[in-house]
């Protein structure tokens, strides 16, 4: 990506001054963590962390701000429109910080996504539903704020994820304490500084910390709703804590998305979409294609065409010219994907492209296409969250559908074929919260999103998302 000198110098200054946003003030932390450059593995910044006292202050501020914030949806939309303008006006700065935080060469696209999502929430009208109660009564269903939201986030899309979730929750009238991942903490804090005077003090708080900070937020007495995006393991633990106090809960968890390629598919159209669906952002997308099932008649062609694209990738830092694929964002993720690749090779997989970490500094893994793996291999059974795709062959479509569903995950999936009616009928049989035909990964703030099975509880986006951040009240009036 190209970066202007002013964006990088303002960005570096913003990174050096990163602070928590608590009760409308930018506050220093009580601790500090090192932030690593994914392209080199070296520490490039330090970031403040919050202890339980700061979490408590943020929660108190959010609770105090709630009654006034809940009062006017028009005022909330106006503030969200201002937030949208602030993101758009600082797009270059945010893209620079995001690229440093995550190593993502497409950081500018994520910032544009944040603008689009923020604008959606700033314009959405929250309806009052009417229920037909027959003569003698009028019944409406109205949406009230759920209260103080403890929002705990993953590292892979730290700006878009934050902006989308807060857009929805703030529109619903909630107030928020958000905790980004300690693996990509700078973009959310720089964003927090930019919007520090957009909302009334206490409405929007951002603190950085680790899992213990997240636990303190979940169990805090003022938390009404926990909104979590991250791994199944952490989601399970959070659900356990939240359930003892009956806190409201929304969980967006991991996935092991299957894509099924039907025999009569148009591969010229499908291959670029499958590639992007699997390898965009080095595969670090919850809804990436993580297993590809291809009819045996097209298996060789599909796998070889994907391998050819893999070989053409130019890996490097987001700031190097011509780079098409960045590093993994975190060292643990790099180590995990390296381990899955080594395991796949040991268990008989054939890497027809890639197949190893890149011999250079930083967290780079060669984009890898595996053939010859079956269920039971870790790379097929587990979520890799990296630039490595197992391509599996099937002869009977029923077997492919069974295999696609034979997982505890259920986030999303796709079917690729020329007969749209038939492809849709197959897609509907996938046990997943979102299914696509001839695309994978397309979504917007308006499209409900969430998982079946272990991939989550609840739906984000659109009015269903607003409902999740709301308490619904049924109002009966006798006529
Ligand atoms: P993670 O679960 O390790 O961490 C996520 C966040 O939770 C971090 O902020 C972390 O500090 C915090 N945390 C961890 N344990 C906690 C606990 N017990 N209590 C409270 N907070 C806790 O996940 P990650 O490695 O940051 O993210 C990768 C995972 O996120 C992948 O599985 C990916 O599929 C998933 N993800 C899902 C979606 C979605 O919308 N479904 C989107 C992005 C990422």
């Amino acid at each position: 990506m190209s970066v202007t000198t002013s964006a990088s110098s303002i960005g570096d200054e913003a990174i050096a001054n990163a602070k928590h946003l608590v009760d409308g003030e930018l506050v220093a932390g009580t601790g500090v963590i090192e932030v690593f450059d994914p392209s080199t593995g070296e520490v490039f910044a330090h970031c403040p962390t919050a202890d339980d006292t700061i979490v408590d202050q943020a929660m108190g501020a959010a609770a105090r701000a709630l009654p006034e914030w809940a009062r006017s949806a028009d005022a909330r939309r106006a503030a969200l429109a201002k937030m949208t303008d602030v993101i758009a006006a600082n797009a270059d700065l945010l893209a620079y910080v995001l690229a440093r935080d995550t190593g993502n060469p497409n950081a500018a696209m994520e910032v544009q996504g944040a603008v689009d999502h923020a604008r959606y929430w700033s314009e959405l009208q929250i309806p009052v539903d009417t229920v037909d109660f027959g003569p003698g009564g009028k019944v409406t269903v109205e949406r009230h704020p759920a209260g103080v939201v403890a929002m705990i986030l993953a590292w892979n899309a730290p700006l878009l994820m934050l902006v989308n979730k807060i857009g929805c929750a703030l529109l619903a009238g909630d107030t928020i304490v958000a905790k980004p991942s300690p693996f990509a903490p700078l973009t959310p804090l720089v964003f927090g500084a930019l919007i520090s005077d957009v909302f009334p003090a206490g409405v929007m708080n951002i603190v950085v910390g680790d899992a213990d900070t997240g636990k303190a937020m979940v169990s805090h007495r003022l938390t009404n709703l926990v909104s979590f995006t991250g791994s199944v393991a952490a989601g399970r633990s959070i659900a356990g804590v939240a359930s003892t106090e009956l806190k409201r809960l929304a969980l967006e968890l991991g996935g092991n998305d299957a894509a099924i390629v039907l025999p009569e598919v148009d591969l010229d159209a499908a291959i670029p979409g499958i590639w992007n669906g699997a390898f965009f952002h080095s595969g670090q997308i919850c809804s990436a294609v993580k297993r590809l099932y291809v009819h045996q008649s097209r298996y060789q062609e599909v796998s070889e065409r994907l391998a050819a694209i893999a070989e053409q990738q130019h890996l490097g830092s987001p700031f190097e010219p011509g780079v098409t694929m960045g590093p993994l964002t975190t060292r643990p993720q790099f180590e995990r994907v390296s381990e899955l690749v080594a395991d796949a090779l040991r268990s008989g997989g054939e890497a027809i492209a890639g197949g190893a970490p890149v011999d250079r500094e930083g967290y780079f893994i060669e984009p890898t296409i595996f053939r010859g793996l079956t269920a039971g291999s870790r790379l097929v059974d587990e979520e890799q969250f990296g630039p490595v795709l197992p391509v599996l062959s099937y002869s009977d479509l029923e077997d492919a559908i069974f295999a696609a569903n034979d997982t505890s995950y259920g986030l999303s999936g796709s079917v690729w074929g020329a007969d749209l009616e038939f492809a849709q009928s197959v897609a509907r049989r996938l046990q997943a919260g979102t299914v696509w035909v001839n695309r994978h990964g397309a979504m917007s703030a308006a499209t409900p999103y969430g998982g079946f099975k272990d991939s989550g509880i609840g739906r984000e986006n659109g009015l269903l998302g607003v409902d999740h951040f709301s308490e619904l009240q049924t109002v009966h009036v006798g006529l």
Side-chain angles (χ1 to χ4, degrees), residues 20-45:
H20 307 290
L21 174 61
V22 176
D23 205 5
E25 303 288 332
L26 298 176
V27 304
T30 44
V32 72
I33 49 170
E34 295 176 322
V35 188
F36 294 86
D37 180 342
S39 303
T40 64
E42 303 291 328
V43 174
F44 79 95

Side-chain angles (χ1 to χ4, degrees), residues 191-398:
F191 166 76
L194 292 172
I195 57 140
S196 60
D197 60 0
V198 167
F199 302 102
V203 165
M204 185 64 231
N205 306 274
I206 306 177
V207 299
V208 167
D210 58 11
D212 286 338
T213 315
K215 286 178 190 167
M217 290 166 59
V218 173
S219 56
H220 197 281
R221 67 193 162 81
L222 294 175
T223 296
N224 300 112
L225 185 152
V226 180
S227 172
F228 173 76
T229 298
S231 62
V232 172
R236 226 182 266 287
S237 149
I238 287 169
V241 176
S243 67
T244 57
E245 295 179 41
L246 292 183
K247 292 182 194 292
R248 304 292 179 258
L249 191 63
L251 299 176
E252 294 291 336
L253 307 178
N256 193 8
D257 286 13
I260 297 178
V261 179
L262 300 174
E264 82 307 351
V265 64
D266 171 1
L267 284 184
D268 288 342
I271 289 289
I274 294 171
W275 171 266
N276 272 320
F279 287 91
F280 187 75
H281 194 11
S282 303
Q284 300 171 113
I285 305 273
C286 44
S287 276
V289 177
K290 290 170 183 154
R291 298 172 287 153
L292 183 64
Y293 294 91
V294 184
H295 188 265
Q296 60 183 13
S297 62
R298 313 302 295 274
Y299 182 63
Q300 186 167 347
E301 191 182 358
V302 168
S303 53
E304 284 175 359
R305 287 178 73 161
L306 290 172
I309 301 177
E311 302 289 2
Q312 288 158 11
Q313 298 307 305
H314 179 178
L315 270 60
S317 138
F319 304 108
E320 286 169 37
V323 161
T324 56
M325 189 177 285
L328 296 185
T329 295
T330 81
R331 173 162 284 286
Q333 191 57 27
F334 168 74
E335 287 169 356
R336 176 172 160 69
V337 178
S338 303
E339 189 186 303
L340 289 175
V341 168
D343 181 79
L345 290 169
R346 273 196 307 273
S347 59
E350 178 198 6
I352 60 165
V358 180
D359 184 18
R360 59 160 283 176
E361 61 184 0
Y363 311 146
F364 291 92
I365 299 216
E366 294 171 348
T368 299
I369 303 293
F370 266 109
R371 282 201 301 221
L373 294 171
T374 52
S377 155
R378 286 186 62 197
L379 187 62
V380 177
D381 293 354
E382 298 180 20
E383 179 187 37
Q384 66 271 49
F385 218 59
V388 182
L389 182 66
V391 186
L392 303 106
S393 168
Y394 72 86
S395 54
D396 182 336
L397 180 58
E398 289 303 317

